[in-house]
Each structure stands twice: as structure tokens, then as C-alpha cells.
Amino acid sequence: MSSITRNIFGTINRTINYWYIPLVVGIIFIATGIYTFVSPLESYAALAILFSISFIISGISEITFSLLNKKLLNNWGWFLALGVLTLIVGVLLVINPAISQATLLFYVGFLVLFRSISAVSHSFELKEYGFSNWGYLTAIAVIGIVFSFILLSNPVLGGMTVVIWTGLALITSGFYSIYLAFKLKKLKDLPNKISNELRSRFNLVSQEINNVLNSKQLTPAVKSVHINLGDFNYAA
């Protein structure tokens, strides 16, 4: 069965758990980015402490979200990897409170880069679910990648430059999490908008497809299974 059909059947019968966790993570990243703009340039230690607390909370939240939805989301591993990496960066900042500007920028740049790459993966998963505006998430991811490369390629930035690029990188990562959270909420609400009759028809077709695909009599000539359910028309 194709990934698109698999996603449709899974979404109809199950709902996303705790969709608001990425929303909370996004708010934390945006708040941290805004604080970066208003904080004194000399207080790198204070920034490191703030980043460490924010990253640890965000990391634990994303790990929890991934484990609660590992049977519901195809890309749940990305959430897990994001959570683990964010948590590790937070712990490293706790261990090294008197961090240098170059090291702080490297940590933030690397974290935002990884989160932006994962955003690209999530955008294509939204495309598989049928969201027409999945490209917005891709655009946010590309912007985040650009900001992260600027931080990584210029480890020693001076004056307001370090504040601007660090703040923008964190805020972009926050927007990505918030945008994704609201798309997950739409997936969560989808089962409630489908009638029991249509849900039963989908389940019957899903079972029939699985029987055909698992049948020992399946031949190479059987390349696709087409489903027609009223106004719905999907191909496996």
C-alpha cells in the first residue's frame, strides 16, 4: 500500500496525541530569540543559561511527543532525534556555563540546522497527508538553513550581528514548530469530521487491500489497487 493511502487510513482511525507540544516548543524558541535581541551583548553566560533551560525543556517535550505518537506518525523518528539533540545541546550548555561566543554560536547554529533539515522532511509528510500549503513549511526550513549556515560559517561575529543572526535563527525554528503544530491539530480533528458510515467503508477497503497485498496469489501484473468511495478516489 502506498504511503499516501497508509496515512489516510491511519489518520481516519487514530488521532494525534498532544499536538500542542510542538506549539509549546515553538513558543519557547521564539521567546528565546526575542530575548536574544534585547539582552546585553556581553552577557553570553546569561544567554547560555537561558538557552540551556529552553533547550532542555524543549528536548524533553519533543522526546515525549515522539514516543506518544510513534504508531501514528511515519516520521516520528525525526521528532525523537530532534528532542535528543536539543536535550544534548541543553545539557552541554549547563556543563559549560562560561561558554565563549564562538562555541555558543556553533551550538545554536548546529541545532537550528538540524531542526531545519527535519522541517523539510515534515513538510513532505504534510504533502503526503494532502495539505496543499506544505510548501510554506519548506520555505521556513530553507530560511532556517540559511541562518544556521551564517552562524556556523562565521563563528566570531561582532556587535549587533551576533544578536541579529542568533535571534533570527531561533525565531525561525520556533515558527517551524508552531506551523507544524497547527497542521498536526488538523490531523487530530479529522477523525471527528468523518461519519461512522464512511469510516466503516474505509476500514473495509483497507482490510481488502491488505488481504490482496498479503495474498500468495499476488502476481507482478497486479501493480495497483484503486479505491472508489463516493467522492473519495485514492490509489494504493
Side-chain angles (χ1 to χ4, degrees):
M1 189 184 301
S2 71
S3 59
I4 295 178
T5 307
R6 197 164 50 240
N7 285 340
I8 293 170
F9 286 132
T11 304
I12 287 175
N13 290 285
R14 294 171 292 182
T15 182
I16 304 297
N17 297 316
Y18 306 102
W19 65 269
Y20 52 81
I21 289 181
L23 175 64
V24 173
V25 172
I27 293 174
I28 291 175
F29 268 79
I30 290 179
T32 305
I34 294 175
Y35 181 82
T36 303
F37 281 120
V38 301
S39 64
L41 294 177
E42 297 81 7
S43 58
Y44 296 120
L47 281 177
I49 294 175
L50 174 65
F51 289 173
S52 65
I53 296 174
S54 301
F55 294 164
I56 288 175
I57 295 175
S58 299
I60 294 175
S61 299
E62 288 178 321
I63 291 173
T64 302
F65 177 80
S66 67
L67 295 178
L68 290 173
N69 291 281
K70 65 180 181 179
K71 295 182 179 180
L72 304 177
L73 296 172
N74 290 338
N75 287 349
W76 69 273
W78 274 110
F79 286 103
L80 179 61
L82 278 179
V84 172
L85 180 61
T86 305
L87 179 61
I88 290 176
V89 172
V91 172
L92 289 176
L93 292 176
V94 170
I95 296 175
N96 301 285
I99 195 171
S100 66
Q101 173 185 331
T103 305
L104 180 60
L105 293 182
F106 175 80
Y107 283 164
V108 174
F110 179 74
L111 180 60
V112 172
L113 175 62
F114 190 84
R115 295 181 69 85
S116 299
I117 293 174
S118 71
V120 175
S121 174
H122 288 141
S123 69
F124 283 106
E125 184 170 16
L126 290 179
K127 181 181 179 182
E128 289 186 352
Y129 276 111
F131 288 101
S132 59
N133 52 0
W134 60 274
Y136 290 132
L137 186 58
T138 304
I140 295 174
V142 171
I143 294 173
I145 291 174
V146 171
F147 288 155
S148 62
F149 271 123
I150 292 175
L151 292 177
L152 293 173
S153 61
N154 298 276
V156 180
L157 298 172
M160 287 297 297
T161 306
V162 61
V163 173
I164 293 173
W165 290 120
T166 305
L168 288 176
L170 291 171
I171 290 174
T172 302
S173 184
F175 274 123
Y176 140 65
S177 294
I178 291 176
Y179 185 86
L180 180 61
F182 283 110
K183 294 304 177 184
L184 292 175
K185 184 179 184 301
K186 286 189 175 182
L187 290 178
K188 173 181 173 62
D189 295 339
L190 178 60
N192 298 328
K193 299 179 180 180
I194 297 177
S195 65
N196 291 331
E197 179 183 358
L198 183 57
R199 191 193 307 273
S200 299
R201 293 165 69 185
F202 263 109
N203 290 335
L204 290 174
V205 172
S206 176
Q207 183 178 359
E208 182 177 348
I209 291 176
N210 288 329
N211 292 337
V212 171
L213 294 178
N214 295 326
S215 174
K216 294 182 179 180
Q217 299 178 353
L218 185 64
T219 64
V222 182
K223 295 183 179 180
S224 64
V225 178
H226 292 279
I227 310 165
N228 288 288
L229 295 173
D231 294 332
F232 292 87
N233 188 0
Y234 299 105

